[in-house]
Amino acid sequence: MRGKLVTLLAALVLLAGLAAETVAVPMVNKVVGVGVDDSGRPWVAGSFDINSDRAADRWQMTRYTSSGAEDTGFNPDPVGHFLDIVGGGGVDHSSTGFNGHPWMMGARDTTGDGVREDFTARRYDPATGADELGFQIDHPVLGAPYGSLTRGGGVHNDNTVNGNDPWIVGARRDDLPNRPGQGTVTRHNTETGEAIFGFLLLDENLNDDWVSYQGVGAGNLVGQPVSSSMPYLFVTGTLTNGKEVMRIYDITSTGARIGDWELDFGADRFLDARGVGVDPRNGQPWAVGAFDSNTDGQRDGFASRRYDPGTGTENLGFLLSSSLGDILDVDGIGVDPDGRPWYVVLLDVNGNGSPDRWAIQRYSLTSGLPEVDSPIDSRFTFVPEPASLLLLAAGGLMLCRRRSR
């Protein structure tokens, strides 16, 4: 699967007789975007090195000011249950006391045996770092039969009592008789965790023609501010025909696909388009990812584009750049209240082609240049070597990179 250089598995133990999706992932090296709050402050979550040995020791969630300075942060998993996390969880935008509280989602080992027991979604108090709310999101009784998670789809802004309901995207368990392994979307009740709406990511012929789905965001099609109903979900990814697309799904009643378009812009083509988020002023979705400028299939840089969901036409876009170094990878964070997109990027600072530091960026809608271009805590980890596969004879371990969907 094409995709991210650093959204990887750092130690996948291959055990005979166990399905890959149930094997433990002790820790991955990654940083993902979470969302942007109503004050324009972005959140990131990622693996963290606390003893300066460049190995991931725990997870960290950090909020930054609208100018890129570190604002607050905490360890979201002090008991060490999370094996992996996914981005796009979102930040509560409700009118309740939970406004501004971020979500994180991922796989957990709750028994200490090194095997994933469940997936979970958790919401945190930004002032204390307390895990104030959470639930399983793959429990068969609750109707969320996930075999793997891909990404959160943000929050559904219609719960004014308990906060926003989270959206989740992943693949169905392979042991299910009804379309096993196919892409699944569910929305969960904030208070109970119950999956109150869901559907499969199918084409018009009820086939799953996705190779990967990498980004998700909720919005609308009418060019108005995102309302409380937020009736559409935008999903980016790669199809079996090799096309990078943005697809639109009805999330009010049917889950039906109601539109899509290829993510090309002139002679340039996305190689792994990832959804960033939806402009809260007009419901228009952004995509970001590696692009090919001369159709040779090789990455020539990173770009971001905003689209009119009614027509599928691009109406704003720019290339990503940094004054700090060369960008080697990018993950979406979200769009601020003024419509400006944020990204977390991995940088080669010294020009040797290897990653050195994570940074966050916010781009101007008029110049297309970064208004914020700030390195974040150097303790957020990454894998420094570019090799895609490392075999270790001792112990029979295989260390694999996995590109996220």
Side-chain angles (χ1 to χ4, degrees):
M1 182 185 303
R2 295 172 302 168
K4 304 175 57 129
L5 169 67
V6 291
T7 313
L8 355 126
L9 293 175
L12 175 59
V13 182
L14 302 182
L15 301 177
L18 290 179
E21 61 206 21
T22 62
V23 177
V25 185
M27 179 63 71
V28 299
N29 288 274
K30 68 195 307 183
V31 172
V32 296
V34 175
V36 181
D37 69 14
D38 285 342
S39 298
R41 297 173 296 186
W43 282 89
V44 302
S47 50
F48 210 63
D49 169 27
I50 58 175
N51 57 13
S52 301
D53 63 357
R54 297 311 304 165
D57 303 305
R58 65 168 177 85
W59 301 103
Q60 171 76 10
M61 290 187 75
T62 301
R63 186 181 69 194
Y64 296 86
T65 68
S66 58
S67 61
E70 186 172 319
D71 189 18
T72 189
F74 51 85
N75 178 2
D77 181 35
V79 295
H81 284 167
F82 273 95
L83 298 174
D84 191 12
I85 62 172
V86 298
V91 181
D92 193 290
H93 295 286
S94 69
S95 58
T96 70
F98 306 113
N99 182 280
H101 292 208
W103 287 84
M104 191 176 81
M105 304 172 186
R108 291 193 307 176
D109 165 24
T110 58
T111 63
D113 62 357
V115 177
R116 190 264 295 170
E117 270 78 49
D118 66 14
F119 300 112
T120 188
R122 323 296 299 183
R123 191 183 69 195
Y124 296 88
D125 184 334
T128 65
D131 177 349
E132 64 185 8
L133 178 72
F135 43 80
Q136 277 183 275
I137 55 179
D138 68 334
H139 197 292
V141 176
L142 299 181
Y146 283 104
S148 64
L149 293 187
T150 298
R151 198 167 181 87
V155 291
H156 196 92
N157 187 20
D158 70 348
N159 189 336
T160 58
V161 177
N162 301 299
N164 294 155
D165 294 338
W167 283 96
I168 298 154
V169 180
R172 288 167 62 85
R173 295 197 313 266
D174 287 336
D175 62 345
L176 294 175
N178 181 23
R179 302 184 182 277
Q182 293 198 336
T184 301
V185 177
T186 50
R187 171 188 164 199
H188 294 255
N189 180 277
T190 300
E191 185 175 14
T192 67
E194 182 180 3
I196 55 180
F197 183 73
F199 55 91
L200 297 177
L201 294 174
L202 303 177
D203 67 11
E204 64 273 15
N205 298 315
L206 300 182
N207 296 314
D208 183 358
D209 61 344
W210 291 96
V211 172
S212 66
Y213 28 87
Q214 301 171 3
V216 186
N220 62 53
L221 292 181
V222 296
Q224 301 295 324
V226 176
S227 65
S228 61
S229 59
M230 291 172 60
Y232 299 103
L233 200 71
F234 302 98
V235 182
T236 62
T238 309
L239 301 183
T240 53
N241 62 9
K243 298 293 186 181
E244 298 294 313
V245 299
M246 175 103 54
R247 282 185 169 172
I248 310 171
Y249 295 87
D250 177 358
I251 55 177
T252 58
S253 59
T254 66
R257 180 164 69 89
I258 59 175
D260 63 359
W261 60 87
E262 293 183 20
L263 295 177
D264 296 335
F265 41 100
D268 300 331
R269 298 176 181 272
F270 274 114
L271 296 177
D272 61 346
R274 309 161 197 169
V276 174
V278 179
D279 191 322
R281 306 167 307 161
N282 55 29
Q284 296 183 353
W286 284 85
V288 66
F291 79 96
D292 170 19
S293 63
N294 55 15
T295 66
D296 64 356
Q298 301 299 311
R299 188 187 78 192
D300 296 312
F302 293 91
S304 191
R305 296 290 186 267
R306 190 185 69 192
Y307 297 88
D308 181 334
T311 64
T313 56
E314 171 202 335
N315 57 34
L316 187 63
F318 45 79
L319 302 182
L320 271 60
S321 63
S322 175
S323 61
L324 305 171
D326 295 330
I327 297 176
L328 301 181
D329 196 27
V330 60
D331 189 82
I333 295 179
V335 185
D336 76 6
D338 294 319
R340 298 171 298 186
W342 283 87
Y343 311 99
V344 55
V345 294
L346 184 61
L347 298 174
D348 169 18
V349 176
N350 57 21
N352 66 356
S354 296
D356 301 305
R357 190 72 177 268
W358 292 98
I360 55 171
Q361 296 185 313
R362 189 190 70 214
Y363 281 78
S364 165
L365 299 180
T366 55
S367 70
L369 298 175
E371 299 174 320
V372 175
D373 191 15
S374 301
I376 63 174
D377 197 315
S378 62
R379 291 175 292 178
F380 279 111
T381 65
F382 48 82
V383 173
E385 295 82 13
S388 61
L389 187 65
L390 174 63
L391 296 177
L392 299 180
L397 295 182
M398 179 179 291
L399 302 185
C400 303
R401 294 177 185 270
R402 181 184 66 187
R403 303 187 188 278
S404 72
R405 299 196 292 182

